[in-house]
Amino acid sequence: MKTGAWATLVRWLDRCAPPLAFVGLLLVWEGGVRIFAVPSFLLPAPSAIVTALLATPLPVWAGHVWATLRVALMGYALAIVVAVPLAVGLATSRFLSRTLYPILVVVQSTPIVAVAPIIVVTLGASDLPRVVITFLITFFPIVVSTVTGLLATPEELIELSRSLRAGRRREILHVRLPFALPHLFSALKISTTLAVIGAVVAEFVAAEKGLGFFIAFSTSYFKIPTAFAGLVVLVSISLILFRLIGFVQKAFAPWSLPKSER
Amino acid sequence: MMKRFTQTCAVLTVTLTLAHAAAATEQVTFMLDWLPAGDKAAVYLGVDKGLFEAEGIKVTIQSGRGSSDVVTKLATGSADMGTGGLAALLQAKAADAVPVKAVMSIYTLQPDAIFTTKDAGINSLKDLEGKTVATATFSSSNVSWPLLLKTNGVNPDAIKLLKVDPGALAPMLATGKVAATINWLTVAPAFAGPLTEVGKSFKALPWSGYGFDGYGLSVFASEKMLTSRPETVRKFLKAYAKATEMAIADPMAAAQALKAAVPEVSVDTAAEQWRASIPLMVNDISKKDGPGAFAPALLATTWKWVAEAQGLPLEKLNPETAVSRDYLK
């Protein structure tokens, strides 16, 4: 009986550990700020952030969230559309791999934050530069992971498909791509957060709306709790997008998940 | 049959009317030199009260990231008109013949100032020796700073200049990490929050009190706009001048117009920011030369400061080529 109660407690703690740790952290933060009387412009207390969050009208939040989400999703979609076929090309053609891979590494090694102002000047003040910046930050992990997945297909499977006279196209579509799905989905998850970061970076450079603009704007008025509230909303969006990709994977390609997560 | 004919006529009439209305309204993209704030309220009031609309202009307001950013955006055609410090335009003109001109002056006194707290014991530039001063990394004030000190007999090397993000300036001053910051006077009301929180009182030393003369904020236009749509520029400036007058007469209305377009702003802070900018616009110079004017002598002084601060020969640029007075007529 005693053992049963103990086991239940351990199970309960195991289930509740993440939210409890989070609540604990918030309490330490709130307590620390209050005890040491830290000014709100240095580190606002969680309660001050919540107050700032609620003080900003819902339509204002909706406008900024929509502006950031729109750019993040467009850049993300563009990254997938470009990265997946590109990865197939890189994985299947030595010529393409030798020619394009170094260029991609150069693009990835370029600090996008530094070139973002130039992109905005070149492409004008519209959604386009923001989408391009998001795309540039997002697409490389998708390319690399997909190529890794495509190349990790076991040789026996390739030989089997060839012995069954499957063409090149069938080999990619029915053997290599399904095998690359776990890699692709993990890259897609990472890229959702990168897409949000990309959109915010772009908004810091030039925007009239969006959470990046909102944070820059609040900071320029030294309203740090409001800027933190913007950060909270941004993190929430990233988490929601991250979970959404998880749901999509579970719903449409459950075989690509580890057995414990199906 | 008759019914279809009537419908077609109605659709045609509506289409033609809309097309006519679209043709009658000129689009102008106007870029502010920084994020929306109370000191930019005049243009919002003009939009809110329909002053631009009355001139047949539809204004789209964009926020820039500094005067140099506005000059670049105008030169590349991302915007038609905008605001910025005249020094930034003169500097850009001297370095590269950018196709942008100043068409109306807004500040006839320089807005740059030293912000400090009353307990810091700083009463003049000389008192800053041995102290640390914070400034925004990309502030146009940084260019003239060493020259301002030299002109006033202060050794620039005796003051440690710390370049930081604009958002860090007030917190650094409030926590005493720096003895003073360099800002535009129009930002002063935003410093109230952090300083009040730590029980400190604000104090400003305007650079204009130390011989730093010249035109500050001005209205710029791209040369493409000036040559292709001169009448629109004239109408825009007329409406802008009227909006400025209205905003000076009623700062609260200007702040409310800003709030209507940018709901995040606080009306009270915006009104205070606008009030803080009024002495920069309405003063002995503007009364003598008339609003919006570029007097040759003060224009030359503005360039002299830029040239000396940049280590450029005065002949490098004729400042008259950076302005046009034709559009205020």
Side-chain angles (χ1 to χ4, degrees):
Chain A
M1 185 66 192
K2 206 173 175 181
T3 322
W6 177 249
T8 314
L9 181 68
V10 169
R11 264 205 310 277
W12 184 83
L13 275 177
D14 183 56
R15 203 182 312 146
C16 298
L20 279 179
F22 187 66
V23 171
L25 178 75
L26 289 180
L27 287 175
V28 170
W29 180 354
E30 180 81 34
V33 167
R34 281 173 190 256
I35 291 165
F36 298 108
V38 181
S40 73
F41 55 81
L42 281 186
L43 181 68
S47 56
I49 298 170
V50 172
T51 310
L53 191 86
L54 298 175
T56 307
L58 204 58
V60 172
W61 279 126
H64 290 303
V65 167
W66 172 237
T68 303
L69 202 59
R70 198 181 64 224
V71 169
L73 291 180
M74 284 196 284
Y76 185 59
L78 186 66
I80 297 171
V81 168
V82 174
V84 175
L86 190 66
V88 171
L90 293 172
T92 53
S93 158
R94 193 171 161 272
F95 173 75
L96 276 181
S97 174
R98 284 188 60 219
T99 322
L100 291 181
Y101 213 81
I103 299 173
L104 290 179
V105 174
V106 170
V107 171
Q108 178 62 15
S109 309
T110 310
I112 305 300
V113 181
V115 293
I118 301 164
I119 295 173
V120 170
V121 167
T122 313
L123 298 177
S126 64
D127 272 351
L128 183 65
R130 293 191 273 277
V131 171
V132 169
I133 291 165
T134 309
F135 162 79
L136 287 173
I137 290 182
T138 315
F139 95 116
F140 194 73
I142 305 178
V143 175
V144 173
S145 292
T146 314
V147 169
T148 311
L150 290 168
L151 294 178
T153 314
E155 272 307 310
E156 318 81 89
L157 280 180
I158 305 291
E159 278 168 23
L160 183 67
S161 74
R162 282 180 190 162
S163 70
L164 294 170
R165 299 187 177 206
R168 193 94 166 133
R169 212 171 131 209
R170 283 196 95 175
E171 182 192 309
I172 291 164
L173 282 177
H174 295 130
V175 182
R176 285 190 187 270
L177 267 178
F179 207 87
L181 274 185
H183 292 86
L184 176 61
F185 271 108
S186 53
L188 289 179
K189 281 179 190 164
I190 296 166
S191 293
T192 50
T193 51
L194 289 177
V196 175
I197 292 170
V200 169
V201 165
E203 284 164 3
F204 274 145
V205 179
E208 315 311 315
K209 272 251 171 269
L211 291 164
F213 168 81
F214 180 80
I215 292 168
F217 182 85
S218 305
T219 316
S220 76
Y221 273 87
F222 310 113
K223 290 179 179 172
I224 309 302
T226 312
F228 266 80
L231 272 178
V232 170
V233 176
L234 263 180
V235 172
S236 310
I237 291 176
S238 285
L239 290 177
I240 290 168
L241 290 176
F242 190 87
R243 289 303 293 263
L244 263 179
I245 300 296
F247 283 131
V248 169
Q249 186 176 13
K250 206 166 186 174
F252 296 101
W255 72 88
S256 64
L257 282 164
K259 270 185 187 159
S260 58
E261 289 178 33
R262 277 176 210 168
Chain B
M1 185 70 182
M2 191 60 193
K3 196 178 166 190
R4 179 170 286 183
F5 177 71
T6 319
Q7 277 176 345
T8 312
C9 284
V11 169
L12 205 65
T13 312
V14 170
T15 314
L16 285 173
T17 312
L18 286 176
H20 179 71
T25 310
E26 283 255 28
Q27 299 275 341
V28 171
T29 306
F30 188 76
M31 181 167 268
L32 306 172
D33 53 296
W34 191 240
L35 298 167
D39 55 314
K40 330 278 181 210
V43 69
Y44 289 94
L45 186 67
V47 172
D48 193 55
K49 297 285 179 200
L51 301 182
F52 294 106
E53 210 178 352
E55 296 290 338
I57 298 169
K58 187 181 182 304
V59 179
T60 307
I61 303 169
Q62 290 181 348
S63 58
R65 303 293 185 267
S67 301
S68 305
D69 183 42
V70 175
V71 174
T72 312
K73 296 275 170 57
L74 289 175
T76 53
S78 297
D80 303 314
M81 296 179 76
T83 53
L86 186 65
L89 178 63
L90 295 174
Q91 198 178 329
K93 281 268 184 195
D96 190 13
V98 286
V100 179
K101 279 192 174 185
V103 287
M104 183 171 124
S105 74
I106 303 174
Y107 293 171
T108 42
L109 281 180
Q110 293 288 15
D112 316 67
I114 289 289
F115 283 9
T116 184
T117 51
K118 282 185 183 158
D119 63 340
I122 293 164
N123 300 310
S124 70
L125 289 179
K126 194 84 183 159
D127 295 335
L128 289 169
E129 281 185 339
K131 304 252 173 27
T132 305
V133 174
T135 181
T137 310
F138 300 111
S139 169
S140 58
S141 309
N142 300 345
V143 179
S144 313
W145 171 246
L147 187 60
L148 176 85
L149 296 177
K150 272 185 209 160
T151 312
N152 285 278
V154 182
N155 177 14
D157 297 332
I159 299 168
K160 192 181 172 198
L161 191 68
L162 210 62
K163 291 184 178 173
V164 299
D165 183 83
L169 291 170
M172 288 185 94
L173 183 64
T175 51
K177 293 238 169 20
V178 294
T181 65
I182 298 172
N183 289 87
W184 278 21
L185 284 165
T186 50
V187 188
F191 271 60
L195 290 183
T196 311
E197 207 175 327
V198 290
K200 290 187 178 177
S201 304
F202 175 80
K203 184 176 176 179
L205 305 176
W207 289 13
S208 55
Y210 292 91
F212 185 49
D213 297 330
Y215 290 108
L217 199 71
S218 308
V219 177
F220 301 159
S222 67
E223 282 184 11
K224 185 181 163 205
M225 177 82 185
L226 294 178
T227 47
S228 62
R229 298 194 283 160
E231 271 316 302
T232 311
V233 178
R234 272 189 195 98
K235 287 178 191 168
F236 180 93
L237 294 181
K238 189 178 154 198
Y240 189 91
K242 196 170 173 190
T244 306
E245 263 177 50
M246 282 173 77
I248 290 169
D250 188 354
M252 206 38 122
Q256 274 154 357
L258 173 65
K259 173 87 179 168
V262 189
E264 295 87 350
V265 300
S266 138
V267 173
D268 291 336
T269 309
E272 279 179 54
Q273 286 174 326
W274 176 254
R275 283 191 196 104
S277 67
I278 294 176
L280 304 171
M281 295 181 275
V282 184
N283 47 50
D284 292 344
I285 299 167
S286 64
K287 280 174 194 159
K288 177 169 69 73
D289 299 330
F294 285 110
L298 193 56
L299 182 62
T301 307
T302 316
W303 164 239
K304 194 169 164 274
W305 271 96
V306 175
E308 281 182 29
Q310 293 279 308
L312 297 168
L314 274 180
E315 315 78 69
K316 177 87 180 164
L317 178 80
N318 175 5
E320 290 293 332
T321 59
V323 302
S324 178
R325 301 177 180 89
D326 300 342
Y327 302 89
L328 279 176
K329 291 166 191 168

